[in-house]
Amino acid sequence: VTRLNCGYDKQAAALAGGSQFVAAGTATAITATTMTKTGAFTGLTLDYHVVVIVDQTTPFGAWFGLIISNTNDALTVDRWNNPGTPEGAAGTPTTGTHNYSYLIVPGSAPAMYMALSADTAAVSATDTSLASEITTSGGGLIRQRAVYAHTAGTSTATLTGTFTANGSDSLPVTVAKVGTFSTVAGATGKPMWEESLVAGNGGPGVATLNVSGDQLTATLTITL
Amino acid sequence: MLVEFGNVGHPQLAGEPAVTSMDVPLSPVGDVDGLDFSEGLSAADLALHLARNPGMVTHLPGHSAAIAILDAWRAHSGQVPPAWVSCPGNPDLERLLAEFFECARGKPDDVEATHHTVSGPPGVGPEAEVAS
């Protein structure tokens, strides 16, 4: 598995709290993927951080988003996640001008999600996206939360995904590359690690899924 | 959902017992956002399916959580079965894994005294983290 250059950026932010700050305030507007607070983010680089929003109006509610980018006045997140089920459907906070408090916290989960691709090219450390990521709406091969595993006292951890093809997927498909992300929405964010499955690239061999119900399981072992 | 194993085979620990922890995103059966688990699968059927499909591709819809856990375990175990498995959030999954590995169910009461844990090496418990 190859740690990408943008993966080092993620790791630095996660381990050391990032280059910026912890911030809090009251948002002026929310959409499904943005949060606005005029002037609040001027001069800051907040990608890889987590922003938590809390609805201050009955019946309240709280969600979090992984920041993909920001301007002086707004944050763009992959989506608003339900805290208890980040692998599930997106949260649905009330949009528009509403009474939200927000908190930007340092760090993130830089490789919480795993994605697949049929791209056979070798991994390059300068990759900033997973080329040809499978993003079929409703399909079973889309980005999903990975199983994180660690044995106490050791210097490695694993990320495992098992993807089950369904009737929405375009089959057959030969999966040739795996990437990990902090964001769940397909084709968003930057990968931390990638691994080519192509034997000629040092991988274990590509895997072809032919029919609905076929499953692909990939485990990436990472050295911390 | 937390799944923990008593690991006595990790290559870095030379046989010293350690806890392997897995954070498994469990979703309803058929949900594409996470892994699923259907009750009732026998360990014998699971083992037979894996023996017939030794590569990266399997075909056990409704059981992706078990498939993922077993694949992750291989990377931590040094091919040594666990001494125990604990999954209090899903007793049937715990049953399946215990039968598959022929190991004990439930975390030992003295795990902090006998295993490497997130608190530290054997003999170091969570109180050390509080004290520090």
Side-chain angles (χ1 to χ4, degrees), chain A residues 64-124:
Chain A
F64 74 92
L66 282 300
I67 300 172
I68 295 172
S69 63
N70 68 280
T71 64
N72 293 345
D73 302 323
L75 309 175
T76 297
V77 300
D78 61 332
R79 65 177 199 174
W80 298 111
N81 296 282
N82 293 302
T85 55
E87 67 278 9
T92 54
T94 301
T95 56
T97 302
H98 197 64
N99 187 19
Y100 282 104
S101 295
Y102 70 87
L103 173 66
I104 299 172
V105 295
S108 64
M112 193 173 182
Y113 298 95
M114 183 178 286
L116 304 178
S117 167
D119 180 48
T120 58
V123 172
S124 167

Side-chain angles (χ1 to χ4, degrees), chain A residues 87-88 139 144-145 147-156 158 160 162 166 197 205 207 209 212-217 219, chain B residues 7 10 12-13 18-23 25-27 32-33 35 56-61 64 67-68 71-72 75-76 116-117:
Chain A
E87 67 278 9
Q144 70 170 221
R145 191 172 159 203
V147 174
Y148 164 78
H150 175 64
T151 300
T154 69
S155 63
T156 59
T158 55
T160 301
T162 294
N166 64 28
L197 304 182
L209 305 177
S212 177
D214 277 356
Q215 297 162 311
L216 180 141
T217 298
T219 292
Chain B
N7 191 337
H10 197 288
Q12 293 183 20
L13 295 175
V19 175
T20 297
S21 302
M22 297 188 187
D23 182 14
L26 203 62
S27 294
V32 300
D33 296 315
L35 302 173
M56 299 176 71
V57 178
T58 52
H59 191 101
L60 270 180
S64 59
I67 298 290
D71 201 66
H76 290 262
H116 290 269
T117 70

Side-chain angles (χ1 to χ4, degrees), chain A residues 12 14 38 50 61 123 128 145-146 168 175 200 202 220:
Chain A
T38 303
V50 175
V123 172
T128 57
R145 191 172 159 203
S168 296
V175 177
L220 305 183

